[in-house]
């Protein structure tokens, strides 16, 4: 059984990769990062190891929108993570992955190829929207409408489901990274200091914690020294209004494509927010005002996709029963 490998689900995110092992839960959560030597181009670290290496190399992010952006680096990263979970170099697990709703047949083939080349024994794909809904704890056994909004690193994906079928989807290439850049631009414009992306990401998450002010560390471009800076959370929300409005418009357009009956269900049940962008303060209020429906944040927004795929791993027959998915 060690040679065959465990049944695992992998949430291949642009920012983080999470692996769920059957009946064990999430056992790996690391950045979807590969660090290469700046001089030779040789890979010198993956995931958390790459993040810990600091300067001295070039950090690559080989996944975008849930799909491989750099085929070779994505394959090597996936293989590294699978071997890290299995502790055996020849393990060949059955692997469950999420398939984005706007993917093409070429994207689907590329995802299969990368997974098989990374030593997966079999590969099953689950529609991303269904994985989100399952991971958020939504009950999909009836025909009532549900809405999920996943704000990832590179994009935001919106879907409306009826039962186990996806009836409307939308996406916008504006996610957590766009929000981070908006925060960094605000700090540079107002204070003349440079905020790197990890610190902007931290600021975004802490801004959703309920405090009125947060402290960040920014660099003076003239001296190179770091300075502590106190930022009002309200100003952060104002600075991120442009990417937030793009997400709101995509959500409105998705609802407009639904029938009147489904729209009425959504008005009563509301939408569920997942992903790192779900932690941004003020986002739920803006969506609630625009969509005229309740907006809930999943209990574990960062892990929702992995948990949904994990439900499919714990019950492999569930994949065949999902009307939108194919194995």
């Amino acid at each position: 059984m060690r040679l065959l490998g465990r049944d695992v689900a992998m949430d291949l995110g642009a920012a983080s990769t999470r692996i769920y092992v059957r009946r064990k839960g999430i056992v790996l959560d690391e950045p979807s990062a590969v660090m290469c030597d700046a001089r030779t181009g040789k890979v010198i670290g993956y995931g958390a190891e790459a993040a810990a290496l600091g300067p001295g190399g070039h950090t690559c992010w080989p996944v975008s929108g849930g799909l491989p952006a750099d085929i070779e680096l994505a394959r090597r990263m996936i293989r590294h993570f699978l071997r890290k979970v299995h502790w055996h170099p020849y393990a060949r697990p059955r692997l469950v992955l999420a398939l984005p709703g706007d993917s093409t047949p070429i994207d689907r083939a590329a995802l299969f190829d990368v997974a098989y080349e990374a030593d997966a024994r079999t590969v099953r794909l689950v529609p991303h929207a269904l994985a989100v809904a399952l991971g958020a704890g939504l009950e999909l056994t009836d025909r009532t409408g549900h809405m999920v909004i996943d704000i990832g690193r590179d994009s935001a994906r919106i879907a409306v489901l009826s039962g186990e079928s996806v009836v409307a989807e939308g996406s916008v290439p504006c996610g957590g990274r766009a929000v981070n850049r908006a925060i960094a631009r605000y700090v540079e414009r107002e204070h003349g200091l440079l905020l790197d992306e990890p610190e902007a990401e931290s600021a975004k998450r802490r801004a959703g914690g309920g405090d009125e002010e947060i402290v960040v560390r920014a660099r003076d471009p003239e001296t190179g020294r770091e300075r502590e800076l106190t930022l009002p959370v309200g100003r952060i929300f104002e600075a991120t209004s442009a990417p937030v409005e793009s997400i709101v418009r995509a959500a409105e357009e998705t609802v407009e494509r639904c029938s009147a009956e489904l729209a009425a269900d959504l008005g009563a049940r509301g939408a569920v927010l997942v992903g790192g962008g779900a932690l941004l303060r003020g986002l739920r209020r803006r969506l609630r005002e625009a969509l005229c429906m309740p907006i809930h944040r999943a209990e574990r927004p960062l892990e929702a996709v992995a948990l949904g795929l994990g439900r499919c791993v714990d019950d492999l027959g569930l994949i065949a029963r999902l009307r939108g998915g194919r194995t």
Side-chain angles (χ1 to χ4, degrees):
M1 289 303 297
R2 290 182 65 198
L3 286 174
L4 289 176
R6 306 177 178 120
D7 293 337
V8 301
M10 178 178 286
D11 171 18
L12 193 61
S16 299
T17 294
R18 297 176 179 88
I19 292 182
Y20 181 109
V21 172
R22 187 178 187 185
R23 296 193 172 90
K24 287 193 173 184
I26 296 174
V27 298
L28 181 141
D29 184 349
E30 297 194 19
S32 300
V34 179
M35 179 166 280
C36 300
D37 186 278
R39 183 174 57 86
T40 66
K42 181 180 178 181
V43 174
I44 56 177
Y46 300 92
E49 177 186 341
L53 288 173
H58 173 61
T59 302
C60 304
W61 299 86
V63 177
S64 179
L67 295 166
D70 184 312
I71 298 293
E72 177 60 20
L73 288 182
R75 178 187 64 80
R76 296 175 68 173
M77 183 185 73
I78 292 171
R79 177 181 288 173
H80 171 82
F81 287 150
L82 289 177
R83 288 183 176 178
K84 193 169 184 178
V85 167
H86 284 92
W87 295 95
H88 199 292
Y90 302 114
R92 294 181 61 84
R94 291 190 291 189
L95 182 61
V96 177
L97 294 165
L99 181 68
D102 57 355
S103 57
T104 66
I106 294 175
D107 293 331
R108 177 185 173 94
L111 194 56
F112 268 118
D113 290 345
V114 166
Y116 280 123
E117 290 170 5
D119 297 333
R121 184 165 89 252
T122 63
V123 179
R124 301 189 181 190
L125 303 182
V126 174
H128 176 270
L130 290 171
V132 170
L134 291 170
L138 300 181
E139 291 297 330
L140 304 180
T141 54
D142 55 22
R143 301 294 298 177
T144 55
H146 299 278
M147 186 174 185
V148 293
I149 303 173
D150 182 4
I151 305 175
R153 179 176 184 262
D154 294 331
S155 61
R157 300 183 183 279
I158 303 100
V160 175
L161 303 94
S162 177
E164 296 168 342
S165 299
V166 180
V167 297
E169 288 185 283
S171 65
V172 59
C174 182
R177 185 162 59 169
V179 173
N180 294 346
R181 287 173 175 171
I183 296 172
R185 284 195 298 269
Y186 156 67
V187 171
E188 184 175 11
R189 183 178 64 251
E190 297 293 325
H191 302 281
L193 301 175
L194 302 180
L195 197 68
D196 62 22
E197 185 161 350
E199 188 68 11
E201 173 71 20
S202 174
K204 177 182 67 182
R205 297 191 180 192
R206 285 181 286 133
D211 295 330
E212 294 302 318
E213 294 181 333
I214 60 170
V215 177
V216 300
R217 296 189 65 85
R219 181 169 55 86
D220 189 316
E222 295 183 0
T223 65
R225 295 180 179 177
E226 285 193 345
R227 288 174 47 189
E228 284 194 350
L229 185 66
T230 300
L231 301 178
V233 169
R235 293 299 305 275
I236 292 177
F237 177 58
E238 292 174 6
T240 57
S241 61
V244 166
E245 288 305 314
S246 296
I247 295 169
V248 169
R249 284 195 298 271
E252 289 176 321
E253 292 168 1
T254 304
V255 173
E256 288 170 359
R257 294 196 294 272
C258 297
S259 66
E261 292 79 4
L262 274 180
D265 286 342
L266 298 179
R269 291 174 175 265
V272 176
L273 272 177
V274 305
L279 303 176
L280 180 64
R281 185 175 182 179
L283 177 60
R284 282 188 291 173
R285 184 184 67 192
R286 182 67 190 92
L287 285 166
R288 184 171 61 247
E289 292 171 351
L291 301 175
C292 299
M293 66 176 70
I295 305 294
H296 314 283
R297 188 165 63 197
E299 184 176 348
R300 298 168 68 177
L302 300 176
E303 302 170 342
V305 175
L307 293 173
L309 294 173
R311 287 185 60 180
C312 296
V313 165
D314 288 339
D315 178 11
L316 289 172
L318 176 61
I319 300 176
R321 298 196 298 270
L322 295 175
R323 269 184 291 238
R326 293 175 291 178
T327 61

